Amino acid sequence: MTTPAPDARRYHALPSPFAMKRGGQLHGARVAYETWGQLDAVRGNAVLILTGLSPSAHAASNAQDPSPGWWEEMLGPGKAIDTDRWFVICVNSLGSDKGSTCPASIDPATGEPYRLAFPELALEDVANAAFELVRHGLGIDRLACLIGCSMGGMSALAYMVLHPDSVRAHISVDTAPQAQPFAIAIRSLQREAIRLDPQWNGGDYDIHLVSDRGGDSDRYPEMGMSIARKLGVITYRSAMEWNGRFARIRLDPEKREDEPFGFEFQVESYLQGHAQRFVRSFDPNCYLYLSRASDWFDIGEYGGGDIMEGLKRIRIARALVIGVSTDILFPLEQQEQIATGLSAAGAEVEFVALDSPQGHDAFLVDIPNYSRAIGGFLARL
Amino acid sequence: MTTPAPDARRYHALPSPFAMKRGGQLHGARVAYETWGQLDAVRGNAVLILTGLSPSAHAASNAQDPSPGWWEEMLGPGKAIDTDRWFVICVNSLGSDKGSTCPASIDPATGEPYRLAFPELALEDVANAAFELVRHGLGIDRLACLIGCSMGGMSALAYMVLHPDSVRAHISVDTAPQAQPFAIAIRSLQREAIRLDPQWNGGDYDIHLVSDRGGDSDRYPEMGMSIARKLGVITYRSAMEWNGRFARIRLDPEKREDEPFGFEFQVESYLQGHAQRFVRSFDPNCYLYLSRASDWFDIGEYGGGDIMEGLKRIRIARALVIGVSTDILFPLEQQEQIATGLSAAGAEVEFVALDSPQGHDAFLVDIPNYSRAIGGFLARL
């Protein structure tokens, strides 16, 4: 017998059927989530975090799961998102394989995994599933603050435009009001690397080995997932950071790959390490669905095709919009658009443009600057 | 019988053996080249163009081959590189499959293609092969001007540092004094896409179908080459250009791919078009060799590890250094380094920083601005 891994996840059953934006519906679906801190008597201190494409609901350690979370340094007692004051919820996106219903889940209609029979997924569905948890699972009418990072920032815009009066304040982190063609191109190529991998096999690979994490089945698109992840990491960081961090440093000869055109520079080994940690820990079909959902998102849909008009339909009291000048995937101009649009809608908006060298991922790395901005904003609420 | 395609290439036999920088040697090797204009009596009006990774020696149309060249609008009678005044030479890089000896060539020792038995290739070898053509093939002691674009700009720095007094003036276009880690990461991932393609097969695919261009053999790493090319195009252009050019425009429904996660946005179709034109028109092993050579290049090697010291060993009279602010592969700071270093070495340097939206490829697209800079510089020589 093995001891189960610590797990702080709880689950909320979505209404069944749960209608999806682009058609189709889910039966018996659920979302996984974790919480930190205590909900106050008037249910007025709730903060919801919507994540990027790959993170789980485990944003930080807690009693049930002491392992560090993906935003460990940002979230906890006395930290920027202070769990002594706030009741913090992090939800695993619908369509992600970290506990929520997703293409790797069993389709109750067939008893087999959905795979590509999963209905088309939009970030609006991710937002609606999170809203169901907050409103009906936790009985919270209005979030004190909705925080969205990267893809989660787009989900957060969807949440606010679809559910008026459900959010008092908003923190938008390194995100965009719509996918621009450069980001679409990157994600399209990531998807193509997976789709072209013969082991993807139209979505029919060994799913159970994915969730077991230790699997080494050949029936898994390892090549495609590795290329997709490396391309992701390249666009999540910045050339400036790498000039200082890696320069042209070579690997020690014994660490080089002994094959033609094998890795020779440290930056190549760094990417390989990232890919090895990701591959077989994320379901390829889920990756494809969430990636495509990111391309589709456009707040302009809610404004007759105009981003500003779409943003102006969002009614909140206050917002903090953060972006970083070295982000090539969600460039700073896109955060400026969000700040401008929310301000035009009547919100009191703070716009923070950082020069962190870490690119899009700065929110995960440059904790001092992000803590100062986010902690300061939350403290003033 | 079919009429042979127009072909303006001529060939220069390299000394045999031809020693390679990193060890090994070539026997019976050659470089292909084309020329425009007339060499004057004192052999003083020669301009040599060293190319980026993929172009051939066919920079422009000429009597023998009226098809448009890759720099057609820049080169010709009355154009910026005025062939009424200059004798212009464009050489196909050693290691490229457009006529020069390369990994797809027959190894005289075995009678079979070199494939991975080709010795390691450095841009210094590309430079030395071009120098052999100029000095011994064409009898030119000193180039009036050496022009290097992209990878060819690095080859040009090698040419000048290895062959003192062989160049009077230099035009450096969208290039770098050394490969930085972001560019290495991109190229490493391009190579990996090819290497991981099962049809690459350790370099043993159907070469003859590559050179025939019309081949559709399954024994060719089409997937890897397509991914590599698309990643290339993404980094050769700029997000700014695509915002204006593609925005979020969808493909007409009948042009969409009828398969899961198939192309839906115009930018995806644009990348696919680029890939289709490239795949099977460039030899994968040659791509790998030239890509790795680009990573290896570092002018700092000639200055005790210091870029500036390396550049200061280049003795020329004048230089024009051009870069573009939207280039993410060879950022403008790297052209500033070249300008600063050549100036410190005593050259009279003009530095032109353009804001063309087309990114690294601007030199192929923003002909008005590049013509003005290059034509003006050449006219003043």
Side-chain angles (χ1 to χ4, degrees):
Chain A
M1 276 187 64
T2 56
T3 310
D7 191 342
R9 284 178 296 188
R10 296 160 67 192
Y11 299 91
H12 174 67
L14 297 175
S16 187
F18 180 80
M20 305 287 274
K21 180 194 181 200
R22 297 172 63 93
Q25 51 191 28
L26 296 174
H27 293 268
R30 67 181 192 178
V31 286
Y33 67 102
E34 295 191 25
T35 67
W36 299 261
Q38 298 297 324
L39 187 59
D40 65 21
V42 295
R43 299 172 185 268
N45 69 330
V47 173
L48 173 66
I49 300 172
L50 297 176
T51 77
L53 191 151
S54 57
S56 72
H58 192 59
S61 56
N62 44 29
Q64 297 79 19
D65 181 355
S67 65
W70 59 267
W71 228 7
E72 183 71 21
E73 295 175 87
M74 187 68 72
L75 174 63
K79 295 182 181 172
I81 306 173
D82 187 351
T83 52
D84 286 338
R85 176 178 176 196
W86 305 107
F87 174 67
V88 182
I89 312 145
C90 184
V91 61
N92 182 233
S93 301
L94 185 70
S96 163
D97 69 344
K98 301 291 178 280
S100 296
T101 298
C102 69
S105 304
I106 299 298
D107 178 355
T110 65
E112 297 289 329
Y114 282 103
R115 303 184 189 274
L116 304 194
F118 199 79
E120 287 188 340
L121 179 74
L123 295 186
E124 283 84 347
D125 304 316
V126 173
N128 286 336
F131 175 79
E132 285 294 332
L133 161 66
V134 170
R135 175 68 56 92
H136 302 295
L138 302 169
I140 297 163
D141 283 334
R142 206 166 182 204
L143 292 168
C145 188
L146 172 58
I147 302 176
C149 307
S150 187
M151 184 191 88
M154 298 196 286
S155 305
L157 293 177
Y159 190 110
M160 294 184 292
V161 81
L162 293 173
H163 303 287
D165 302 319
S166 66
V167 173
R168 189 170 292 119
H170 171 49
I171 300 177
S172 171
V173 181
D174 296 10
T175 191
Q178 67 173 196
Q180 286 185 337
F182 180 83
I184 292 173
I186 293 286
R187 285 193 288 256
S188 176
L189 191 52
Q190 291 173 312
R191 290 192 299 271
E192 200 169 0
I194 297 169
R195 292 163 55 208
L196 291 177
D197 187 327
Q199 297 306 328
W200 179 60
N201 191 30
D204 189 9
Y205 46 83
D206 283 347
I207 285 179
H208 64 285
L209 290 169
V210 176
S211 48
D212 289 347
R213 303 294 158 82
D216 59 357
S217 163
D218 285 342
R219 297 192 65 249
Y220 178 90
E222 180 153 344
M223 170 181 69
M225 286 294 281
S226 177
I227 291 173
R229 182 59 171 176
K230 289 186 181 187
L231 181 51
V233 173
I234 288 173
T235 57
Y236 298 156
R237 311 298 291 212
S238 87
M240 183 205 296
E241 181 201 26
W242 288 0
N243 287 342
R245 185 168 173 181
F246 301 115
R248 292 179 51 80
I249 299 171
R250 267 31 182 222
L251 292 169
D252 295 334
E254 69 270 17
K255 289 188 182 165
R256 295 186 188 179
E257 281 188 317
D258 186 22
E259 55 183 88
F261 308 102
F263 304 140
E264 175 179 336
F265 291 92
Q266 275 196 357
V267 68
E268 298 180 280
S269 173
Y270 164 82
L271 290 177
Q272 180 72 355
H274 268 282
Q276 286 175 336
R277 287 190 294 277
F278 186 73
V279 166
R280 295 185 193 270
S281 80
F282 203 90
D283 179 73
N285 289 336
C286 293
Y287 190 91
L288 294 169
Y289 271 87
L290 288 163
S291 167
R292 198 47 147 168
S294 299
D295 286 359
W296 280 330
F297 184 73
D298 181 5
I299 195 71
E301 279 183 24
Y302 302 92
D306 185 282
I307 291 174
M308 285 300 144
E309 293 302 314
L311 289 167
K312 278 161 69 175
R313 292 192 45 194
I314 293 174
R315 303 294 175 175
I316 53 176
R318 300 183 59 177
L320 167 66
V321 181
I322 315 178
V324 54
S325 59
T326 55
D327 189 340
I328 59 173
L329 203 56
F330 295 83
L332 198 53
E333 299 78 45
Q334 294 203 282
Q335 286 96 56
E336 283 177 328
Q337 289 180 317
I338 294 173
T340 303
L342 294 179
S343 182
E348 183 184 327
V349 178
E350 298 174 37
F351 177 56
V352 175
L354 296 172
D355 284 324
S356 320
Q358 298 92 355
H360 180 67
D361 265 1
F363 74 99
L364 298 171
V365 186
D366 183 8
I367 299 298
N369 277 310
Y370 281 77
S371 275
R372 189 174 306 117
I374 291 172
F377 179 80
L378 286 173
R380 291 189 295 277
L381 289 185
Chain B
M1 276 187 64
T2 55
T3 310
D7 192 343
R9 284 178 296 187
R10 297 160 66 191
Y11 299 91
H12 174 67
L14 298 174
S16 187
F18 180 79
M20 305 286 275
K21 181 196 179 199
R22 296 173 63 94
Q25 50 191 27
L26 296 174
H27 294 268
R30 66 180 193 179
V31 286
Y33 66 101
E34 296 191 25
T35 68
W36 299 260
Q38 298 296 324
L39 187 59
D40 66 19
V42 295
R43 299 174 187 268
N45 69 330
V47 173
L48 172 67
I49 300 172
L50 298 177
T51 78
L53 191 151
S54 57
S56 71
H58 192 59
S61 56
N62 44 29
Q64 298 78 20
D65 181 357
S67 66
W70 59 266
W71 227 7
E72 184 72 21
E73 296 175 86
M74 188 68 71
L75 174 63
K79 295 183 181 173
I81 306 172
D82 187 352
T83 53
D84 285 338
R85 176 178 176 196
W86 305 107
F87 174 67
V88 181
I89 312 146
C90 183
V91 61
N92 181 232
S93 300
L94 186 70
S96 163
D97 69 344
K98 302 290 177 281
S100 295
T101 298
C102 68
S105 304
I106 299 298
D107 178 354
T110 65
E112 298 288 330
Y114 282 104
R115 304 185 188 272
L116 305 195
F118 199 79
E120 288 188 339
L121 179 74
L123 294 186
E124 283 84 346
D125 304 316
V126 173
N128 285 337
F131 176 79
E132 286 294 332
L133 161 67
V134 170
R135 175 67 57 90
H136 303 293
L138 301 170
I140 297 164
D141 283 335
R142 204 167 184 202
L143 292 167
C145 188
L146 172 59
I147 302 177
C149 307
S150 187
M151 184 192 86
M154 299 195 286
S155 305
L157 293 177
Y159 190 109
M160 295 185 290
V161 80
L162 293 172
H163 304 285
D165 302 318
S166 66
V167 173
R168 189 170 292 118
H170 171 49
I171 301 178
S172 171
V173 181
D174 296 10
T175 191
Q178 66 174 195
Q180 285 185 336
F182 180 83
I184 292 173
I186 293 286
R187 285 192 288 256
S188 176
L189 191 52
Q190 292 173 312
R191 291 191 298 271
E192 200 169 0
I194 297 169
R195 290 162 58 208
L196 291 178
D197 187 328
Q199 297 306 328
W200 179 59
N201 192 29
D204 189 10
Y205 47 82
D206 282 348
I207 286 178
H208 63 284
L209 290 168
V210 176
S211 49
D212 289 348
R213 302 294 158 83
D216 58 358
S217 163
D218 286 341
R219 297 192 66 248
Y220 178 89
E222 179 153 343
M223 171 182 66
M225 286 293 280
S226 176
I227 291 173
R229 182 58 171 176
K230 289 185 180 188
L231 181 52
V233 173
I234 288 173
T235 57
Y236 298 155
R237 311 298 290 214
S238 88
M240 184 205 296
E241 180 201 26
W242 288 0
N243 287 341
R245 184 169 174 182
F246 300 116
R248 291 178 53 78
I249 299 172
R250 264 39 179 220
L251 293 168
D252 296 335
E254 68 270 20
K255 289 188 182 164
R256 295 186 188 178
E257 281 188 316
D258 186 22
E259 55 181 90
F261 308 101
F263 304 141
E264 175 179 336
F265 292 91
Q266 275 195 358
V267 68
E268 298 180 280
S269 172
Y270 164 82
L271 290 177
Q272 180 72 355
H274 268 281
Q276 285 175 337
R277 288 189 294 277
F278 186 73
V279 166
R280 295 183 193 270
S281 81
F282 202 89
D283 179 72
N285 289 335
C286 293
Y287 189 91
L288 293 169
Y289 271 87
L290 287 163
S291 167
R292 198 47 148 168
S294 299
D295 286 358
W296 280 330
F297 185 73
D298 181 5
I299 195 71
E301 279 183 25
Y302 303 91
D306 185 282
I307 291 175
M308 286 299 144
E309 292 303 314
L311 289 166
K312 278 163 68 176
R313 293 193 44 195
I314 293 174
R315 303 293 175 177
I316 53 177
R318 300 182 59 178
L320 167 67
V321 181
I322 314 178
V324 54
S325 59
T326 54
D327 189 340
I328 60 173
L329 203 56
F330 295 82
L332 198 54
E333 300 77 45
Q334 294 204 283
Q335 285 96 56
E336 283 178 328
Q337 289 180 316
I338 294 173
T340 303
L342 293 179
S343 181
E348 183 185 326
V349 178
E350 298 174 37
F351 176 56
V352 175
L354 296 172
D355 285 323
S356 319
Q358 298 92 355
H360 180 67
D361 265 1
F363 73 100
L364 299 170
V365 186
D366 184 9
I367 298 298
N369 276 310
Y370 281 77
S371 274
R372 190 174 307 117
I374 291 172
F377 178 80
L378 287 173
R380 290 189 296 275
L381 288 186

